Amino acid sequence: MSSQTYSISDLARELDITTRAIRFYEEQGLLSPERRGQERIYSPRDKVTLKLILRGKRIGFSLAECRELIELYDPSGGNTKQLNSMLAKISERREQLEQQLLDIEQMKLELDTAEERCVQALEQTLKSQQIAQ
């Protein structure tokens, strides 16, 4: 009858995160472990939820986006809504990253130009000082 359960330290160790992070996600309403006195008892679903949060964070999703995806989870419905939403978010995130790459390339060009001007100005200053001597 009893499915596997996890303590907070079990999950922290298994997923390589801090117990503080797990408590934070609990405070945010993303996890709802059972309580035995002061002890938190996490279910396999809590573990899956944590994995989804961590995966979402790794690919740049906000906590709100992670929450949205988790709330769409519906194993009886084949998760179509969740998967479509995930695909849309991945596409959106990819577009953001592409824009960031363009912005970084532009910034590098501007740094190159500024550096070149500084080097030229420094060379001019040194030449002027040598002539003055």
Side-chain angles (χ1 to χ4, degrees), residues 89-128:
K89 288 186 183 314
I90 287 171
S91 176
E92 188 179 301
R93 183 67 180 133
R94 183 170 278 130
E95 287 173 22
Q96 290 171 346
L97 289 171
E98 291 295 333
Q99 185 58 55
Q100 286 177 326
L101 275 174
L102 291 173
D103 293 345
I104 289 169
E105 286 302 320
Q106 183 61 42
M107 208 178 295
K108 284 171 58 180
L109 289 173
E110 290 175 22
L111 284 170
D112 289 346
T113 301
E115 181 181 45
E116 194 176 309
R117 287 183 180 155
C118 285
V119 168
Q120 288 173 352
L122 187 58
E123 287 172 354
Q124 283 300 111
T125 302
L126 291 174
K127 282 182 187 174
S128 298

Side-chain angles (χ1 to χ4, degrees), residues 18-86:
T18 64
T19 56
R20 184 176 180 196
I22 295 171
R23 285 191 297 273
F24 172 76
Y25 297 133
E26 186 181 337
E27 288 166 11
Q28 297 301 308
L30 293 165
L31 301 171
S32 49
E34 289 179 37
R35 296 275 187 161
R36 279 193 206 129
Q38 291 285 51
E39 189 182 6
R40 293 168 167 89
I41 309 296
Y42 294 91
S43 68
R45 183 179 174 103
D46 289 322
K47 183 178 174 182
V48 168
T49 297
L50 266 174
K51 283 181 172 182
L52 287 171
I53 292 167
L54 297 173
R55 185 176 303 137
K57 284 185 58 171
R58 274 196 309 274
I59 58 178
F61 290 170
S62 69
L63 202 51
E65 289 171 314
C66 291
R67 176 191 313 276
E68 186 182 322
L69 289 169
I70 290 163
E71 288 172 354
L72 288 173
Y73 179 71
D74 177 16
S76 65
N79 289 320
T80 305
K81 273 185 170 178
Q82 184 188 40
L83 294 171
N84 282 327
S85 181
M86 179 77 164

